Amino acid sequence: MSDFLQTPIEFLKGVGQARADLLKKELNIFTFEDLLYFYPYRHIDRTRFYKISELQDDLPYIQLRGKFTDFRTEKLNRGQRLTGSFTDGTGHLEIVWFQGAKWVKELIKPQTEYILFGKPAIFNGKFNMVHPSVDLYNDENIKMLSALMPMYNTTEKMKQRNFESKSILKLLHNLLKDERLIIPENLPDKLISKENMLARGKAIHAIHFPGSAAELTQATERLKFEELFFLQIRILRYKVQRGKLHNGICFEHIGELFNTFYEKHLPFNLTEAQKRVIREIRGDMKSGVQMNRLLQGDVGSGKTIVALLCMLIAIDNNYQATLMAPTEILAQQHFHNLQELLSGLPVSIRLLTGNTSSKDRKKMLQDLESGSLNILIGTHALIENAVQYKNLGLVIIDEQHRFGVEQRSRLWQKNEKPPHVLVMTATPIPRTLAMTVYGDLDVSVIDELPAGRKPIKTIHRFESGRLAVFEFMKQELSKGRQIYIVYPLIAESEKMDYMNLQDGFESVSRAFPLPQYKVSIVHGKMKPADKDFEMARFVKGETNIMVATTVIEVGVNVPNASVMIIESAERFGLSQLHQLRGRVGRGAEQSYCILMTGNKLGNEAKTRIKTMEQSNDGFYISEVDLKLRGPGDLEGTQQSGLLDLKLADLKTDDQILQRARNSASKLLGEDAGFSQPENLPVKLWLSKQQRHAKVWSRIS
Ligand code: ADP
Ligand code: MG
């Protein structure tokens, strides 16, 4: 039965060699089965026949039924125009062709009924219709056309050869009515009835040729569900395998270090959310199964202290811990921050980045291998092969979006007992992405800011308001506050962007002259040492204004900074804007974010600016971001298979995704090997997908 599905496409009625070649080359359709899964991009409602007497202004595409009475050809400046008169007994309508006149005159017969489909327009005070689609009025066509008609994508090359949406429709029509066609189910019956879904065969019929709009919706939902279900099975299997394969490190107790720090060194009371999250992490780390947890917390929610407390638990259990940051600046800041928090405690902590001198590096690696070094902070340099730990127990990845599920699962496989992994992110991730890109992770959320924080006020200003902005800056500076001014820097326009940054720096320096004001500048082209020096001056409060590119985007923490000015804000993405804004509002004072833009703003830019003005909630902002940009632009999606989704759309299908995830998780919990007879369809489908994937990897 499945052999029939694998029949090469050239054997389908209506497909000759030429069309078969086009289908393969242009649409990747090689077999009957491939054609079945070539879903239409939309349907046009052709359930209704209009009468010519009903025609009026502004009708959409409509359908008429009638006969042609006569044709006449007129010469035009270029080419010719063929006009036919069409009647259905209620009136006459002119049908116009500018091309293919010869073909039309040959094919259209008098005294024969046709179905016309097109958009009526008014020309010289009369209705006409240009280049409608014309089909014989017979039983087969009525059935095929007088319904929700599927529209299929075709390519330019196909169109040139008159191989259009309608041709594909006809092929599918032939295929779907073939008695030998059996479309196997791939979900357990129980699940289908529980979710109240269409059977697979029915859904595939209906997604091409739905009997009604409701049926189309049902079919689409069923097929989206299965798509997301198998994606979830794939993702969640990593989790199951991890749980089974690795007997994880067990941090049995909380010891001296943790307790001393908690009681004597903690500079503030933890928020309830911080406490809860630490309990969740602690639960993982003593479970005997490797932890893989995502810690989400909006900017400023206090993830660093959580990381530190977890690292202390590792050390209390005689393990080492490492913290990886995406940039040099961040790694440094973490290092200094943690070093300070740990002062007076017997913990050795070091910083390893690309800039560490080889002498320091050597010593560090020795201490790491001997075990005398407890905590290593750094950038990507930490995962180089040369870096060997004596007994690494906990890896914390901060602000990290760059690893997909598969990559991450490979990261620490070289260890016999893999360390616990905590991924921290301040870019709140829309639910759908949390369930997919990070779908194999458990999730903890810090959903509470430390007490006393005032929401940041966000204001949009045009260039014309710059002087007022300068005035405002002076007021804030006079209160002793510090200010960031951030310029965009994008690879494609790098040269211009650097010029703008320099110009901006100069005009700010003029408006805020020495000795009263001191202005720093930091950007990626500076020597790391200079950059660090300037950054450090600002952190220490030695300079008042920091002009920078987005190098300061993540993590940097200067509680005294209360104003963030973002230049050309229309050029930033939403999550970036939110990240930048998160650099202020870290102290007790009222903070401000000023979005400077040009006068002309596109619709999307307007939405972004407005969203920023209206909300400080990172989760809400991330949802809007996903809706605006789609998942393709969000980091991590490339590796996750999300972009191969045919029907499902992460922007809109989060409910189906949630259901699919629940079902997949339940099934894996009950029968991870799919050995029960009722789960056989799932097993067969997965092995088929795997075979497919192998064939493809060999081809490409
Ligand atoms: P993020 O989650 O963005 O990494 P940080 O860990 O940098 O946030 O914390 C932001 C600021 O809030 C830091 O100055 C930190 O010391 C402070 N902080 C963290 N937790 C608390 C708390 N429970 N109470 C008061 N301040 C806190
Ligand atoms: Mg942070």
Side-chain angles (χ1 to χ4, degrees):
M1 68 174 197
S2 61
D3 284 342
F4 181 73
L5 283 176
Q6 297 316 318
T7 315
I9 196 69
E10 45 266 56
F11 293 103
L12 185 65
K13 191 178 154 215
V15 181
Q17 194 56 52
R19 284 189 157 193
D21 288 345
L22 278 173
L23 284 169
K24 291 179 197 173
K25 270 214 197 77
E26 300 293 305
L27 301 179
N28 264 329
I29 294 174
F30 291 85
T31 63
F32 287 8
E33 186 172 31
D34 294 339
L35 181 64
L36 280 185
Y37 301 155
F38 188 67
Y39 301 141
Y41 63 89
R42 69 187 195 110
H43 287 79
I44 291 180
D45 189 356
R46 296 187 66 172
T47 47
R48 167 161 186 208
F49 281 100
Y50 275 79
K51 297 255 182 295
I52 292 176
S53 60
E54 292 175 316
L55 292 186
Q56 45 172 315
D57 239 359
D58 278 342
L59 279 179
Y61 281 83
I62 59 154
Q63 183 166 247
L64 298 165
R65 166 193 173 179
K67 296 172 184 170
F68 285 93
T69 50
D70 62 283
F71 285 99
R72 60 176 193 282
T73 310
E74 291 156 81
K75 279 255 173 284
L76 300 176
N77 283 346
R78 298 149 141 243
Q80 58 179 11
R81 171 170 59 207
L82 176 69
T83 310
S85 185
F86 186 79
T87 177
D88 63 357
T90 73
H92 288 267
L93 179 67
E94 297 217 316
I95 311 297
V96 183
W97 289 269
F98 295 98
Q99 274 150 27
K102 186 164 159 268
W103 175 84
V104 172
K105 276 198 284 194
E106 266 169 35
L107 280 179
I108 294 182
K109 301 188 179 61
Q111 297 312 313
T112 309
E113 267 201 303
Y114 288 96
I115 303 168
L116 288 197
F117 178 68
K119 192 168 165 46
I122 293 181
F123 183 72
N124 279 347
K126 277 198 299 192
F127 278 107
N128 74 7
M129 195 181 265
V130 179
H131 284 219
S133 120
V134 183
D135 286 281
L136 270 178
Y137 187 87
N138 60 27
D139 282 353
E140 194 177 346
N141 281 339
I142 291 169
K143 223 167 108 196
M144 196 157 69
L145 298 175
S146 319
L148 290 168
M149 185 181 74
M151 301 292 291
Y152 298 94
N153 279 314
T154 56
T155 64
E156 234 8 83
K157 270 214 178 100
M158 295 173 72
K159 288 192 178 89
Q160 278 162 19
R161 296 184 172 85
N162 211 12
F163 191 3
E164 307 225 22
S165 172
K166 206 163 77 187
S167 327
I168 295 190
L169 181 157
K170 284 182 178 151
L171 296 181
L172 272 157
H173 192 70
N174 289 340
L175 177 57
L176 283 164
K177 75 177 185 207
D178 195 306
E179 278 156 16
R180 288 164 298 174
L181 177 71
I182 295 169
I183 300 173
E185 184 51 68
N186 59 12
L187 296 175
D189 286 343
K190 227 168 62 184
L191 178 56
I192 294 173
S193 55
K194 184 180 150 254
E195 289 288 333
N196 203 5
M197 287 187 290
L198 291 184
R200 186 150 196 278
K202 219 170 167 191
I204 288 186
H205 267 97
I207 195 156
H208 293 289
F209 302 108
S212 65
E215 199 186 43
L216 177 61
T217 308
Q218 272 187 311
T220 312
E221 287 218 349
R222 145 78 212 214
L223 294 170
K224 282 178 174 177
F225 182 95
E226 89 175 40
E227 202 169 24
L228 294 169
F229 176 83
F230 283 102
L231 178 68
Q232 286 300 320
I233 290 271
R234 219 184 76 204
I235 292 170
L236 291 170
R237 267 174 140 188
Y238 284 106
K239 205 169 153 178
V240 174
Q241 277 165 5
R242 246 192 342 251
K244 269 208 294 235
L245 292 180
H246 309 312
N247 46 345
I249 298 167
C250 188
F251 293 168
E252 313 225 339
H253 63 282
I254 282 191
E256 179 83 28
L257 262 180
F258 182 96
N259 288 329
T260 311
F261 181 83
Y262 200 91
E263 279 150 28
K264 306 217 175 96
H265 295 250
L266 199 61
F268 36 67
N269 292 325
L270 294 183
T271 62
E272 286 310 310
Q274 284 170 320
K275 287 185 202 161
R276 184 190 63 228
V277 159
I278 290 169
R279 275 197 302 274
E280 286 166 359
I281 295 170
R282 162 91 182 111
D284 284 359
M285 295 194 302
K286 69 172 179 198
S287 71
V289 174
Q290 185 205 10
M291 168 172 77
N292 267 273
R293 189 168 279 277
L294 176 68
L295 174 57
Q296 291 197 58
D298 214 337
V299 278
S301 61
K303 294 182 291 296
T304 316
I305 199 80
V306 171
L308 176 61
L309 284 161
C310 296
M311 292 197 276
L312 293 180
I313 298 177
I315 301 169
D316 270 336
N317 286 273
N318 293 319
Y319 281 93
Q320 293 164 304
T322 189
L323 192 159
M324 190 158 96
T327 65
E328 179 103 19
I329 289 184
L330 251 187
Q332 274 174 11
Q333 179 156 339
H334 272 313
F335 175 66
H336 296 306
N337 194 357
L338 294 177
Q339 205 177 28
E340 202 177 301
L341 285 164
L342 288 169
S343 63
L345 285 164
V347 175
S348 95
I349 174 170
R350 300 295 302 270
L351 172 70
L352 178 66
T353 70
N355 290 315
T356 308
S357 75
S358 57
K359 190 169 138 243
D360 286 353
R361 185 184 153 90
K362 205 168 150 211
K363 172 85 171 60
M364 227 179 276
L365 294 184
Q366 275 169 5
D367 292 349
L368 204 59
E369 271 198 83
S370 76
S372 65
L373 183 54
N374 302 118
I375 297 178
L376 185 61
I377 311 287
T379 51
H380 272 63
L382 290 183
I383 53 170
E384 285 166 17
N385 272 333
V387 182
Q388 297 289 339
Y389 300 79
K390 174 155 185 261
N391 50 2
L392 180 61
L394 172 63
V395 175
I396 297 177
I397 304 176
D398 190 20
E399 317 280 2
Q400 181 53 267
H401 294 252
R402 267 148 253 176
F403 293 116
V405 174
E406 272 121 281
Q407 267 181 313
R408 205 168 344 94
S409 75
R410 247 180 272 131
L411 250 183
W412 309 101
Q413 262 171 15
K414 52 186 176 186
N415 296 53
E416 186 196 339
K417 273 197 177 185
H420 297 300
V421 178
L422 183 68
V423 179
M424 304 199 296
T425 173
T427 311
I429 298 160
R431 255 163 40 88
T432 50
L433 288 191
M435 286 189 278
T436 47
V437 180
Y438 294 99
D440 63 325
L441 302 180
D442 296 305
V443 179
S444 290
V445 182
I446 307 184
D447 49 6
E448 180 188 357
L449 292 179
R453 296 268 173 85
K454 295 198 180 73
I456 301 163
K457 286 192 180 143
T458 302
I459 304 141
H460 174 205
R461 288 282 176 269
F462 292 106
E463 193 51 46
S464 52
R466 184 165 299 275
L467 281 181
V469 171
F470 278 174
E471 261 330 292
F472 176 71
M473 289 167 65
K474 286 198 173 132
Q475 273 174 38
E476 286 295 300
L477 290 169
S478 72
K479 294 185 216 158
R481 314 264 188 269
Q482 289 165 282
I483 296 176
Y484 293 101
I485 305 178
V486 176
Y487 282 81
L489 179 59
I490 292 161
E492 294 91 70
S493 52
E494 196 181 283
K495 224 168 155 185
M496 273 297 287
D497 285 350
Y498 270 117
M499 268 165 56
N500 290 340
L501 175 74
Q502 283 300 343
D503 288 352
F505 175 64
E506 275 154 32
S507 81
V508 169
S509 300
R510 274 195 304 274
F512 297 88
L514 287 162
Q516 192 182 358
Y517 303 105
K518 296 184 196 68
V519 186
S520 284
I521 180 166
V522 166
H523 57 74
K525 276 206 177 146
M526 292 164 72
K527 286 206 203 91
D530 296 344
K531 209 159 73 182
D532 297 346
F533 177 76
E534 280 305 316
M535 202 64 224
R537 288 209 310 153
F538 187 69
V539 171
K540 282 185 249 162
E542 291 170 12
T543 57
N544 316 95
I545 300 176
M546 164 63 77
V547 177
T549 56
T550 49
V551 290
I552 59 133
E553 180 181 340
V554 275
V556 176
N557 189 26
V558 181
N560 188 46
S562 66
V563 182
M564 165 62 68
I565 296 172
I566 303 177
E567 298 288 343
S568 305
E570 68 270 33
R571 293 178 56 199
F572 288 89
L574 252 183
S575 70
Q576 227 179 354
L577 289 173
H578 181 64
Q579 278 297 312
L580 286 169
R581 178 170 61 182
R583 297 309 105 216
V584 297
R586 308 189 140 234
E589 325 81 31
Q590 178 60 56
S591 287
Y592 302 88
C593 174
I594 301 175
L595 305 172
M596 302 293 301
T597 72
N599 285 325
K600 281 221 174 85
L601 292 178
N603 279 339
E604 247 196 69
K606 273 187 201 149
T607 307
R608 289 196 296 266
I609 304 279
K610 213 179 189 161
T611 306
M612 286 294 291
E613 284 185 305
Q614 285 169 349
S615 176
N616 270 304
D617 176 351
F619 281 92
Y620 170 74
I621 288 170
S622 75
E623 298 284 349
V624 178
D625 195 30
L626 178 66
K627 295 227 154 62
L628 287 177
R629 294 201 295 168
D633 287 331
L634 301 181
E635 283 184 88
T637 48
Q638 274 78 3
Q639 302 94 355
S640 62
L642 293 179
L643 303 182
D644 306 336
L645 292 174
K646 264 186 171 166
L647 278 178
D649 180 351
L650 293 189
K651 291 198 257 182
T652 47
D653 294 329
D654 58 330
Q655 293 198 359
I656 303 179
L657 176 59
Q658 182 72 63
R659 273 165 40 217
R661 182 171 170 87
N662 294 347
S663 303
S665 167
K666 184 155 173 279
L667 182 62
L668 284 170
E670 290 164 0
D671 183 17
F674 314 110
S675 53
Q676 288 162 26
E678 62 191 38
N679 298 330
L680 189 65
V682 177
K683 188 173 183 167
L684 291 176
W685 184 255
L686 283 170
S687 63
K688 189 172 147 184
Q689 278 190 324
Q690 251 157 28
R691 279 202 308 277
H692 235 77
K694 273 200 197 118
V695 172
W696 272 109
S697 67
R698 258 187 283 134
I699 292 173
S700 56

